[in-house]
Amino acid sequence: MKIGIVGLGLIGGSLAIDLRSQGHKIYGVSRQLKTCQIALEKGIADYASPEFKILAETEIVFICTPIATIASTIKQLIPYINPKTIITDVGSVKQPIVAECSQLWSNFIGGHPMAGTTQSGIDAAVANLFTGAAYVFTPTDQSKPENIAKLTAIASELSAIPYVCDAQIHDRAVSWISHLPVMVSASLIKACLTEEPDTFKLAQILASSGFRDTSRVGGGNAELGVMIAKYNQQELLRSLLQYRQNLDEIIALIQQEDWQSLEQTLQITSAARPKFLN
Amino acid sequence: MKIGIVGLGLIGGSLAIDLRSQGHKIYGVSRQLKTCQIALEKGIADYASPEFKILAETEIVFICTPIATIASTIKQLIPYINPKTIITDVGSVKQPIVAECSQLWSNFIGGHPMAGTTQSGIDAAVANLFTGAAYVFTPTDQSKPENIAKLTAIASELSAIPYVCDAQIHDRAVSWISHLPVMVSASLIKACLTEEPDTFKLAQILASSGFRDTSRVGGGNAELGVMIAKYNQQELLRSLLQYRQNLDEIIALIQQEDWQSLEQTLQITSAARPKFLN
């Protein structure tokens, strides 16, 4: 199959590597000429150019740009491609993207491969990045079943596990397990910074694995954190407000010295956590 | 030196192993006769018995029982030991223990070796558990300098790093980096459990390293979580209320769509986190 990939960073580049190794012809597009050269030199893509016209004969195009530029990229791409071409994206939020891009292109289906590393750019692209990872697709009622089938087949070729669901369910689910934890964790670090110097210094010295783990995602990339909040605002606020209510309940149990109910709560969380770990 | 260890679990047993390997004579006390037998068989202690009288000639006694029984253990121990014997404990909270035990024994100095594993009991005891770990001592104004010096020397023999500070500073510091994270993390798991089945199921499937790390300490031992809350109630509430304020600030920024301030906040937390990782 002729497959186009727009945006040759970590995700786009890694998709290109695995799909090319499956025998597909890869047409890569990057604004940066240097990135195109690297893609060709490293054998990541068969063809690479800053020009959308090289995508004219592709059957599927993956838009692997940052969330903020997905729709504008599709607008630029449209004049060059066949009306039957499937366009999909790899953004970590789906509702706003699907709403906008489905209007632009009837064969658009949103996608989210749940894989990544802390690196970025084409030099971070690796083989087998998606092995065992969930790959969610969020079609609408208007999406053609054969398009969905083509995309889930591609996910399976990547050794990823395809899931098909509504964009809102995706955004709610990722808010709970990915976006809410960022804000919960960032609030923890921020709260510690209010402590007076002597105690703060000791806290830094004594911090070990518990703090390291709980603070990890709150100490990550700030720009990405803002993207999450901006594009998944409603679902994130919904989960944040629910979280605050559960936090308030725990605070109340400690204030009331209701140790029995606190123990029950912690037994529930202790029993529930393994169900999230595959 | 003749050293007594009351409570031969993970911490007591591991202390015994390392101190014995430094050439000290180890006198172990456990209520369980079987634990005493294991301690002798494995060479963890030189002498082991359920009877406090074997501690008659010890210079230092480590109380390694659960927090709730430290003071009552000291009361039982007092009739058998020399008035000059230093008593120390290994509890993870210091203010209430120091307040009560200093009244019982003038040569009591609170201690907290910040090491552990997820295991417990004498079979979990290992050599070098304290290597590189912080070992905090919390003397009072009445504590004798030579007693403090003896304990910090013991910590150094364990290859731990001794810190001497006020019990309140200790309890505040551990609340920030150890006790608050438990409640923050437990609230996250509890909040997720409120979601309706379809979304909850997808959330469980999609959860990966971010959720795994942020939820780890909230999915731990419930009994230990209650102990923390019970014995460090005031400092934990202080940090919880500060945390809630910081959480509310982040919620407000997202509600107000103040992305610039949110990015500044996340830049601050991103820059601050490495200072907690040694």
Side-chain angles (χ1 to χ4, degrees), chain B residues 89-99 110-112 136 138 167 170-171:
Chain B
D89 74 312
V90 298
S92 56
V93 173
K94 298 271 59 84
Q95 284 181 95
I97 295 170
V98 170
H112 181 201
V136 185
T138 58
H170 168 274
D171 288 358

Side-chain angles (χ1 to χ4, degrees), chain B residues 116-179:
Chain B
T117 69
T118 54
Q119 309 294 308
S120 63
I122 191 160
D123 291 323
V126 286
N128 304 317
L129 181 64
F130 309 98
T131 302
Y135 197 141
V136 185
F137 295 102
T138 58
T140 67
D141 294 343
Q142 273 72 51
S143 300
K144 297 187 187 81
E146 62 268 31
N147 287 352
I148 303 170
K150 273 190 187 170
L151 290 173
T152 57
I154 289 275
S156 301
E157 285 186 57
L158 295 165
S159 299
I161 302 149
Y163 294 95
V164 176
C165 70
D166 184 78
Q168 187 184 49
I169 300 232
H170 168 274
D171 288 358
R172 289 194 163 175
V174 295
S175 181
W176 286 118
I177 54 92
S178 175
H179 304 170

Side-chain angles (χ1 to χ4, degrees), chain B residues 206-265:
Chain B
L206 300 185
S208 67
S209 64
F211 188 82
R212 181 165 60 239
D213 283 0
T214 319
S215 69
R216 184 173 69 81
V217 297
N221 185 291
E223 209 182 327
L224 203 66
V226 174
M227 275 300 134
I228 282 166
K230 206 166 168 178
Y231 285 89
N232 205 18
Q233 187 190 15
Q234 291 316 310
E235 302 307 334
L236 178 57
L237 281 173
R238 178 177 171 270
S239 60
L240 270 167
L241 295 176
Q242 179 63 52
Y243 172 78
R244 185 170 60 181
Q245 191 177 313
N246 287 79
L247 181 75
D248 283 346
E249 282 166 18
I250 283 184
I251 292 173
L253 294 179
I254 297 172
Q255 283 170 331
Q256 293 153 17
E257 308 191 352
D258 184 350
W259 309 127
Q260 203 183 339
S261 300
L262 182 65
E263 186 157 354
Q264 280 166 3
T265 297

Side-chain angles (χ1 to χ4, degrees), chain A residues 220-237:
Chain A
N221 183 293
E223 208 181 329
L224 203 65
V226 174
M227 275 299 134
I228 283 166
K230 206 167 167 178
Y231 285 90
N232 205 17
Q233 188 191 15
Q234 291 316 312
E235 302 307 333
L236 178 57
L237 280 172

